[in-house]
Amino acid sequence: MSAEEYKAQGNKAFLAKDYPTAIDHFTKAIELDPTNHVLFSNRSACYASQKNYEKALEDGEKTVELKADWSKGYGRKATALFGLGRYPEANDVYEAGLKIEPTNVQLQKGLQDTKQAMEKEASMGIGQFFGPDVFTKMAANPKLAPLLAQPDLVEKVRSIQANPNALNQHMQDPRIMTLLMGLMGLDARGPEDFPGASEEEEPTPAAAAPKKAEEPKKKAEEPKDEEMPSEEELNKKEALKAKDLGNASYKARKFEEALEHYAKAWELDSTNISILTNKAAVYFEMGNFDDCIKTCEEAIDVGREHRADYKLIAKALGRIGNAYAKQNKLPEAIKYYGKSLAEHRTPDILAKLKEAEKAKAKADKEAYRDPALSAEARDRGNVLFKQSDFAGAVKEYTEAIKRDDTDPRAYSNRAACYTKLMAINEALKDCETCITLDPKFVKGYIRKAAIQFLKKEYTECLETCQQAKDADVEKKNTAEIDGQINKVYMEMNRGPQRREGETEAETIARAQQDPEVQRIMSDPAMRSILQQMQEDPQAAQDHMKNPMVAANIRKLVAAGIIRVGN
């Protein structure tokens, strides 16, 4: 077989954790291609997996020698040095590798773990780990307890207890290194035993068939920087498969089954927060909103720690908002919708935020409603109105409306205050609301007509007065309504404005020369209407309901051609 084929077989054996076979294949590949740095790197990983750090170091150094600009070679060498407890040297090698590739996450992690080990070593003597309670600590540690069944190792530990300097002569025993790492709270295999390729790389497949012998010049080509995927990378791939199974079960509404798949996926990869957000979606559909919230909060914590995509964080926050909304905890829902939008703005969450705010406003309004307290506020407003404290009265009438927005009296009374304060538009709006709430509320029409008179909307004022008369079935307000109508007619009959030195007759004559007046007077329909108004003055009110006719009549009244009256 060729070197590439032996390498492919070695990769396959490594993934199966058959390290002796993998070492054999890589060794044969090296015999055929002794300048291929990747082969030494892969064999170094196998030796490290067997905790044979001396051999791992030899291959790591060879890797760096063959390709000094390849950062992963430094990772292999540093891993072996870490496993041998040579932390200062491992620290220097990690730093050298990071100079070549500053963004290499595995080298960064290895350097961090090495520095921590150096700090622990500096802060406490190594010998103290082999104190009187060492066997108790070993028994309590599942990874170290099996070592107690090995008499020769126990004897070495006792010799170190008797003479701490004996530790150095026993350090070549990988079991002693494993024990020391365990007692220090570190992984004895080192922080980077299997630094593989990037997360996107796949295992290199074995060749389907033997390749033809290559030309001699081809052997001089530089080997590709291919690496075996690490155990962590394999777990991530398996986690994605489990997640996909969970997604399929979720879509089929097999929620318990989906939860099992997501639990397995999270066990394999506890950094992928999309697994948790999907799990939370299952809880949401099951109506288990508390667990949904708890799961999303865990996703957010993990996501912050691992600097997850802000969109995933936003998704978790939005899902918490949905859960609170289902529980009718609207303030909390609004809070988390806002947090989600701060991370990533989406139309869906924005719409849900507005809906929650609207629902909360409605709920607050209903909770505040109290007709009895509304009546008390209205009475206080009436007292202030009589005292000419219109601003204070507005405040009380507003409180009355908040307590009961279905009572037209508060709107009518507030409109009267606004009119006194010359807040004409606000007054008119209150009158319209009052009439909408109770079309038979006569005071609403009367106050609306008064406002229209102030705005010189005389035709509209007359129409509103007629509506007031129609609503005043008991005729209790006839005098007030007629008084408003007479005021309108008086204003309409004032005639044209007289210029200085001009007689009344001259003023009327000048107004009659207006082309618009002449057009109206020449219109047969208008002449017929004017004749009806002369014969039946009450007909004027009917004709004034037509906006075009009303405008023409106002023009004629202003010119002094006609006069209107009640």
Side-chain angles (χ1 to χ4, degrees):
M1 290 194 297
S2 67
E4 282 297 315
E5 289 169 334
Y6 276 122
K7 187 182 86 167
Q9 291 297 320
N11 289 348
K12 185 176 180 180
F14 178 84
L15 295 177
K17 298 186 178 181
D18 184 359
Y19 304 123
T21 301
I23 290 172
D24 182 59
H25 285 306
F26 289 133
T27 300
K28 290 177 180 179
I30 290 171
E31 290 173 356
L32 294 173
D33 188 2
T35 62
N36 188 331
H37 61 282
V38 175
L39 299 176
F40 286 97
S41 172
N42 289 3
R43 192 171 69 175
S44 177
C46 293
Y47 283 133
S49 298
Q50 292 183 316
K51 301 180 183 177
N52 188 346
Y53 296 114
E54 290 289 351
K55 287 288 187 180
L57 178 59
E58 290 178 11
D59 279 353
E61 289 177 333
K62 186 63 176 178
T63 303
V64 174
E65 177 187 333
L66 290 172
K67 193 168 179 62
D69 61 347
W70 194 47
S71 64
K72 291 178 184 176
Y74 292 87
R76 294 296 187 211
K77 181 178 177 180
T79 295
L81 289 168
F82 185 97
L84 292 170
R86 293 158 62 177
Y87 304 131
E89 295 175 71
N91 181 87
D92 293 342
V93 175
Y94 275 127
E95 289 181 343
L98 285 169
K99 288 180 180 179
I100 297 171
E101 188 181 355
T103 59
N104 188 304
V105 177
Q106 290 172 320
L107 293 179
Q108 292 173 348
K109 179 66 167 56
L111 179 61
Q112 180 183 354
D113 289 347
T114 301
K115 288 186 180 297
Q116 289 177 353
M118 291 170 64
E119 289 174 1
K120 285 190 176 182
E121 190 177 57
S123 63
M124 56 184 71
I126 293 295
Q128 77 171 45
F129 289 106
F130 294 87
D133 60 345
V134 63
F135 294 111
T136 303
K137 291 180 179 179
M138 290 173 66
N141 189 323
K143 291 184 178 180
L144 302 180
L147 298 176
L148 292 171
Q150 302 177 30
D152 63 322
L153 177 69
V154 172
E155 185 61 32
K156 290 181 179 181
V157 173
R158 293 190 187 280
S159 69
I160 294 171
Q161 284 182 312
N163 179 17
N165 292 327
L167 176 62
N168 293 329
Q169 70 184 69
H170 294 308
M171 284 296 288
Q172 298 302 318
D173 186 337
R175 296 174 300 170
I176 293 295
M177 177 56 67
T178 298
L179 174 58
L180 178 59
M181 294 297 98
L183 293 173
M184 292 176 67
L186 300 170
D187 182 357
R189 293 170 60 192
E192 194 186 44
D193 278 354
F194 316 112
S198 64
E199 291 185 4
E200 292 74 22
E201 290 180 312
E202 297 285 345
T204 306
K211 296 181 180 178
K212 292 182 180 180
E214 297 180 344
E215 297 294 331
K217 62 179 182 179
K218 297 270 183 153
K219 292 182 180 179
E221 291 181 357
E222 187 172 336
K224 296 180 180 179
D225 294 344
E226 296 176 357
E227 282 271 0
M228 296 172 293
S230 66
E231 184 176 355
E232 179 183 358
E233 291 168 332
L234 291 175
N235 285 342
K236 287 180 181 291
K237 293 181 184 297
E238 290 301 315
L240 290 176
K241 292 179 182 178
K243 176 188 167 187
D244 289 339
L245 291 174
N247 294 347
S249 298
Y250 171 80
K251 291 177 181 177
R253 302 191 70 78
K254 297 178 180 179
F255 298 135
E256 294 295 342
E257 185 178 295
L259 290 175
E260 291 178 6
H261 288 306
Y262 289 139
K264 181 180 179 181
W266 186 246
E267 183 179 341
L268 290 166
D269 182 7
S270 59
T271 65
N272 186 349
I273 66 169
S274 66
I275 297 171
L276 291 180
T277 56
N278 288 8
K279 182 180 179 182
V282 175
Y283 284 132
F284 184 88
E285 291 297 326
M286 295 173 70
N288 191 343
F289 301 120
D290 288 336
D291 281 344
C292 173
I293 293 169
K294 182 179 178 181
T295 304
C296 285
E297 287 174 341
E298 182 183 359
I300 294 165
D301 290 340
V302 174
R304 300 288 191 204
E305 180 182 351
H306 293 278
R307 298 183 179 180
D309 187 345
Y310 61 91
K311 293 181 181 178
L312 291 175
I313 300 292
K315 187 175 183 179
L317 290 165
R319 192 149 284 162
I320 292 176
N322 292 340
Y324 277 128
K326 281 290 186 179
Q327 293 178 320
N328 202 33
K329 296 179 179 179
L330 297 176
E332 290 86 350
I334 291 170
K335 173 184 175 182
Y336 279 93
Y337 285 144
K339 287 186 174 183
S340 177
L341 290 171
E343 293 287 339
H344 178 57
R345 197 172 184 84
T346 63
D348 177 56
I349 296 298
L350 182 59
K352 288 180 178 179
L353 172 62
K354 291 181 178 179
E355 183 180 344
E357 289 175 337
K358 184 178 180 181
K360 182 179 181 298
K362 182 178 180 181
D364 291 345
K365 182 178 179 180
E366 289 301 319
Y368 199 70
R369 185 183 297 279
D370 189 327
L373 294 178
S374 175
E376 292 178 8
R378 190 177 66 253
D379 290 341
R380 292 195 299 270
N382 293 343
V383 172
L384 293 173
F385 183 87
K386 292 176 181 178
Q387 296 172 353
S388 297
D389 184 0
F390 305 121
V394 165
K395 182 178 179 181
E396 293 296 340
Y397 291 138
T398 300
E399 175 65 14
I401 291 170
K402 288 180 180 179
R403 291 291 187 181
D404 185 4
D405 60 353
T406 63
D407 190 336
R409 293 173 293 180
Y411 289 101
S412 175
N413 292 1
R414 191 170 69 173
C417 292
Y418 280 141
T419 302
K420 293 290 186 180
L421 295 169
M422 294 306 293
I424 302 302
N425 291 333
E426 289 80 358
L428 184 59
K429 183 179 178 181
D430 273 357
C431 289
E432 296 286 3
T433 303
C434 173
I435 293 169
T436 300
L437 289 173
D438 185 1
K440 297 297 182 181
F441 196 76
V442 182
K443 279 290 184 182
Y445 294 104
I446 293 174
R447 286 185 170 138
K448 179 181 177 181
I451 295 167
Q452 291 170 328
F453 180 80
L454 289 174
K455 297 176 70 176
K456 300 186 183 300
E457 296 174 352
Y458 299 130
T459 303
E460 291 81 356
C461 180
L462 289 175
E463 291 176 1
T464 302
C465 287
Q466 185 58 50
Q467 291 173 338
K469 281 192 171 186
D470 294 340
D472 189 20
V473 179
E474 298 181 2
K475 307 300 181 185
K476 293 182 178 180
N477 301 280
T478 301
E480 188 174 1
I481 298 169
D482 287 343
Q484 184 64 70
I485 292 173
N486 289 331
K487 288 169 65 177
V488 172
Y489 286 144
M490 287 178 62
E491 287 298 318
M492 293 178 68
N493 290 329
R494 286 184 181 277
Q497 292 294 318
R498 185 181 302 177
R499 294 176 180 173
E500 186 176 355
E502 190 177 56
T503 64
E504 182 179 356
E506 290 173 338
T507 302
I508 294 174
R510 175 174 53 78
Q512 291 174 350
Q513 296 301 313
D514 186 335
E516 185 65 18
V517 171
Q518 293 176 358
R519 180 193 65 76
I520 296 171
M521 293 302 297
S522 63
D523 184 349
M526 279 303 301
R527 287 202 300 270
S528 175
I529 290 172
L530 293 173
Q531 185 175 356
Q532 290 179 20
M533 291 173 60
Q534 187 175 10
E535 294 173 355
D536 181 10
Q538 290 297 325
Q541 293 186 21
D542 295 330
H543 288 303
M544 291 292 276
K545 294 178 182 179
N546 184 318
M548 186 175 295
V549 173
N552 289 339
I553 291 175
R554 285 199 300 272
K555 185 69 176 179
L556 295 178
V557 171
I561 304 300
I562 63 173
R563 297 177 67 85
V564 293
N566 194 15

